[in-house]
Amino acid sequence: MTNPKAHPLPRLWFYAKSHRRTIVLASLTSVLNRIVDLAPPILIGMAVDVVVSRQDSILAQIGITDVQNQLFLLAGLTVLVFALESAFQYAYQVLWRNLAQVIQHEMRVDAYGHVQQLELAFFEDQSTGGLMSVLNNDINQLERFLNSGASEILQLITSIVIITGIFFYTAPSVAWMAFIPMPFIIWGSIRFQKRLAPLYGKVREMVSLLNGQLSNNLSGIATIKSYTAESHELARVRNQSDQYRVANEKAIKFSSAFVPFIRMLIVGGFAAIMIYGGKLVLDGSLNVGVYSVLVFITQRLLWPLTSLGDTLDMYQRSMASTERVLDLLDADYMIPSGQTDLPVESVAGDIQLDAVCFEYQPDFDTNCGESLAEGTPPPVIQQLSLHMPAGETIGIVGSTGAGKSTLVKLLLRFYDVQAGVIQLDGHDLRDLQLAKLRQAIGFVSQDVFLFHGTVRENITYGSFDASDEQIVEAAKIAEAHDFIMQLADGYDTIVGERGQKLSGGQRQRISIARAVLKDPPVLILDEATSSVDNETEALIQRSLERIAVGRTTIIIAHRLSTVRNADRIFVLERGQLCESGTHDQLLAANGLYASLWNVQTGSRG
């Protein structure tokens, strides 16, 4: 885990520690490419020196007196320099680009894998579009910087170091003139960097909100159309998009001023070298070849700084994005896994709740609501104790807000209790390995989610190696086989995103078939018949009787007819157990269950 308070660059270096050798090699080839790239101005200066000075040239002083041989040598060196420059350019481009692809791939997979491990509370505070923006746009922004920006920064630093050495070695008397603009350029770069960072942070925030709005609207397009709210939603998207535009406009306006600022500083140093250096040549105190080198090398030193604005622009965008990705990787909304290995085949399915208390945003004391201040809302679940024997069918009923669905989330450890204990076969759920716990529980939600793909793929989700015979048998138990065979391509029919090509009852029965195929020792059905008609409910009821054999089945229901035949029924009210017993016992007690039954059926059953 990186230090979230650190700058994004060292955090990225820590994250990419397995690729440090490649980073170093890519950096080295970038530096070598720039070193070789600085050789042509020197060779040009030496060629001018040969033409002007002939037998008195610098090459003649090292033993090559023939002018023609001097030119041949310079031509050979030029070919070698360009060959090396091309080789190093190829090498650094391949290394940096491949590195960018590898890091963006690993970071996206790591971030998505980490997100999957976060508890539901994290997702309740985040928008899907915002997370998509981080997993896709922000990581792509880092990729673009690694593709070219990192190498450009290294090569610029190399140019400054090498050219500084050349200047002070060949003409220390005029070297300082070329560097007159440097302090101002560095100062300006730092100032621009500090000003750009929050501007691009705002840009990333705005694009995240925009993506969230678009994702939310596309998911709810049926609701938008049914309420003829297209104009309203278009206005909301226009507003979010305009905020994104304005945030970009501010960043662009500021970053675009950088290049003109740098260019005017550069021309001062360039003009000083031309005038003062030329005067030294005319006075005979500076070699004309050296003067040529200085003029060309000054251009090589200062002119690339005009692209520093674009490079800084890319750098700031990538660092803002990198920080968001690494912050996501460092998010610690985690449900810790226990260590106890409980093989699924050995689970009997005995469930015990003892004084369980839970609140989504806990603000009550450790006595689980017993000493609540006046006016403080009670916990969602408070002092709940009940026993679900292995192999029995259990009904959980109650009015809206009684805590039924919250109980399901606690059984699956989507959340942890804040007081009390939940046990499976005598083991505290918090002590069990999280994967083993969830493998032991089949869950059919009232909000059925089918993935875009075939019927077969959706039934086998979680049981990926199931045979065709097992798939068909699970579908028959769930009363789904007959309607599946009537679809255009049977089990290979594409269901569409979220199963939109199927009816609510069809989606529900495929979801039940998925749970049946998993064959868990504990099966939870959360309002499994809430979105189906009476005929489909009767079919599902018939299938449930077969599914429940040999396993603990927990049925969460508003429709009391769904739990009428349960071995025992628990009635919840405001997070507490107020009644329990069989259907007949609860009717005879003439309590809350009987009242609910009368409302739904108009009889005493």
Side-chain angles (χ1 to χ4, degrees):
M1 182 175 291
T2 62
N3 177 8
K5 294 183 180 180
H7 188 275
L9 195 58
R11 291 175 69 190
L12 179 62
W13 173 254
F14 179 83
Y15 172 80
K17 57 185 176 182
S18 62
H19 300 293
R20 287 177 183 174
R21 181 178 178 183
T22 304
I23 294 173
V24 170
L25 186 59
S27 301
L28 179 62
T29 54
S30 293
V31 170
L32 290 173
N33 171 262
R34 181 44 52 96
I35 291 174
V36 177
D37 180 62
L38 293 174
I42 298 175
L43 294 175
I44 292 173
M46 295 176 70
V48 171
D49 183 51
V50 167
V51 171
V52 174
S53 303
R54 303 188 179 224
Q55 282 80 12
D56 296 325
S57 68
I58 296 174
L59 288 179
Q61 295 174 15
I62 62 174
I64 306 173
T65 56
D66 185 77
V67 174
Q68 188 172 355
N69 288 339
Q70 293 179 26
L71 294 175
F72 277 125
L73 175 61
L74 291 175
L77 289 174
T78 300
V79 173
L80 176 62
V81 162
F82 276 88
L84 289 173
E85 184 181 3
S86 299
F88 287 133
Q89 182 176 4
Y90 174 81
Y92 84 69
Q93 287 185 346
V94 168
L95 288 169
W96 279 116
R97 290 180 179 179
N98 284 336
L99 180 66
Q101 295 304 313
V102 170
I103 288 182
Q104 67 90 13
H105 164 71
E106 292 182 354
M107 184 171 279
R108 181 175 289 112
V109 172
D110 288 347
Y112 174 73
H114 181 70
V115 165
Q116 285 194 131
Q117 302 303 316
L118 300 177
E119 63 180 85
L120 286 184
F122 173 82
F123 296 95
E124 291 169 354
D125 295 332
Q126 304 289 329
S127 71
T128 302
L131 290 174
M132 285 294 296
S133 177
V134 175
L135 293 172
N136 196 31
N137 296 347
D138 285 321
I139 291 176
N140 288 345
Q141 189 69 52
L142 173 61
E143 175 199 356
R144 285 190 285 272
F145 172 71
L146 291 176
N147 268 335
S148 58
S151 180
E152 289 174 7
I153 290 175
L154 286 170
Q155 291 187 333
L156 181 60
I157 294 172
T158 301
S159 295
I160 293 172
V161 173
I162 297 298
I163 293 173
T164 299
I166 292 173
F167 262 96
F168 283 98
Y169 177 77
T170 57
S173 61
V174 296
W176 61 273
M177 293 188 178
F179 292 92
I180 288 175
M182 295 300 291
F184 300 100
I185 292 173
I186 293 172
W187 171 80
S189 299
I190 294 173
R191 287 295 302 273
F192 269 85
Q193 183 180 15
K194 288 182 178 180
R195 291 286 299 275
L196 277 172
L199 292 176
Y200 280 122
K202 186 68 173 178
V203 168
R204 301 316 306 161
E205 179 186 347
M206 289 298 102
V207 75
S208 176
L209 292 174
L210 176 60
N211 284 342
Q213 185 70 56
L214 291 170
S215 175
N216 188 62
N217 285 14
L218 292 174
S219 297
I221 191 67
T223 302
I224 293 172
K225 287 180 174 296
S226 66
Y227 282 89
T228 61
E230 291 91 343
S231 297
H232 173 74
E233 293 303 332
L234 178 60
R236 292 174 67 183
V237 170
R238 181 183 290 112
N239 180 57
Q240 289 286 1
S241 181
D242 191 58
Q243 290 184 47
Y244 174 53
R245 178 192 63 79
V246 170
N248 259 309
E249 189 177 76
K250 290 179 180 178
I252 291 169
K253 185 181 295 184
F254 194 77
S255 65
S256 297
F258 185 79
V259 172
F261 171 75
I262 295 298
R263 182 179 286 118
M264 295 312 297
L265 291 175
I266 287 171
V267 73
F270 197 69
I273 286 293
M274 291 183 67
I275 295 172
Y276 190 70
K279 184 175 182 300
L280 292 178
V281 171
L282 295 175
D283 292 342
S285 57
L286 184 65
N287 182 283
V288 67
V290 173
Y291 173 68
S292 300
V293 171
L294 293 180
V295 171
F296 282 114
I297 213 78
T298 300
Q299 188 268 344
R300 288 295 182 98
L301 170 66
L302 298 179
W303 195 250
L305 293 175
T306 59
S307 65
L308 188 59
D310 292 334
T311 304
L312 278 178
D313 183 275
M314 188 187 304
Y315 171 77
Q316 287 299 346
R317 286 178 182 266
S318 68
M319 288 303 100
S321 294
T322 299
E323 186 168 33
R324 283 160 50 85
V325 178
L326 294 176
D327 285 347
L328 180 60
L329 279 167
D330 289 336
D332 58 357
Y333 288 73
M334 305 291 286
I335 293 288
S337 177
Q339 300 301 314
T340 302
D341 181 4
L342 186 64
V344 175
E345 57 273 12
S346 69
V347 174
D350 185 88
I351 298 173
Q352 177 75 48
L353 281 77
D354 184 15
V356 168
C357 195
F358 174 77
E359 177 59 71
Y360 287 103
Q361 294 181 339
D363 56 3
F364 50 91
D365 60 25
T366 55
N367 292 323
C368 195
E370 292 181 355
S371 303
L372 288 170
E374 184 177 352
T376 302
V380 178
I381 301 289
Q382 51 181 325
Q383 295 293 331
L384 181 61
S385 297
L386 51 86
H387 180 219
M388 306 179 195
E392 289 194 1
T393 297
I394 306 297
I396 307 288
V397 301
S399 56
T400 300
K404 303 184 299 298
S405 294
T406 298
L407 180 58
V408 172
K409 296 174 183 178
L410 296 178
L411 291 173
L412 286 162
R413 278 200 77 200
F414 290 161
Y415 296 91
D416 271 336
V417 299
Q418 281 123 14
V421 63
I422 303 179
Q423 294 180 323
L424 174 62
D425 290 352
H427 300 279
D428 188 329
L429 297 190
R430 291 167 292 192
D431 295 333
L432 297 176
Q433 293 180 10
L434 198 55
K436 291 301 177 84
L437 168 66
R438 291 176 181 168
Q439 286 169 9
I441 300 176
F443 178 49
V444 179
S445 171
Q446 58 181 319
D447 183 20
V448 176
F449 188 93
L450 298 185
F451 294 89
H452 181 73
T454 66
V455 171
R456 185 191 313 277
E457 290 168 340
N458 275 282
I459 292 177
T460 58
Y461 193 81
S463 306
F464 303 106
D465 56 352
S467 65
D468 287 344
E469 293 76 12
Q470 291 172 318
I471 296 169
V472 171
E473 181 61 25
K476 287 180 177 178
I477 292 174
E479 301 287 350
H481 176 73
D482 290 342
F483 88 76
I484 291 174
M485 295 307 297
Q486 294 173 6
L487 298 174
D489 296 309
Y491 283 86
D492 294 318
T493 301
I494 299 296
V495 302
E497 189 173 2
R498 299 183 66 90
Q500 61 186 348
K501 293 185 178 181
L502 304 178
S503 70
Q506 290 172 333
R507 291 196 296 269
Q508 192 66 269
R509 280 178 278 175
I510 288 177
S511 179
I512 293 173
R514 178 193 293 167
V516 170
L517 188 60
K518 184 179 180 182
D519 193 25
V522 178
L523 179 62
I524 300 175
L525 301 158
D526 185 8
E527 303 285 0
T529 61
S530 62
S531 61
V532 299
D533 55 32
N534 291 334
E535 181 181 355
T536 303
E537 181 187 8
L539 291 173
I540 292 176
Q541 281 286 86
R542 190 169 65 189
S543 67
L544 292 181
E545 292 177 3
R546 287 184 282 174
I547 295 169
V549 175
R551 75 182 85 242
T552 303
T553 304
I554 303 170
I555 304 174
I556 311 293
H558 273 299
R559 291 183 183 178
L560 301 187
S561 58
T562 308
V563 299
R564 181 172 183 171
N565 298 323
D567 295 307
R568 67 186 68 197
I569 301 169
F570 296 106
V571 184
L572 302 184
E573 182 66 15
R574 296 183 180 179
Q576 294 179 312
L577 178 65
C578 64
E579 292 179 315
S580 67
T582 64
H583 172 76
D584 292 334
Q585 289 170 342
L586 290 170
L587 286 183
N590 200 29
L592 178 59
Y593 182 88
S595 298
L596 293 172
W597 180 263
N598 288 332
V599 169
Q600 292 185 18
T601 66
S603 70
R604 291 293 299 258

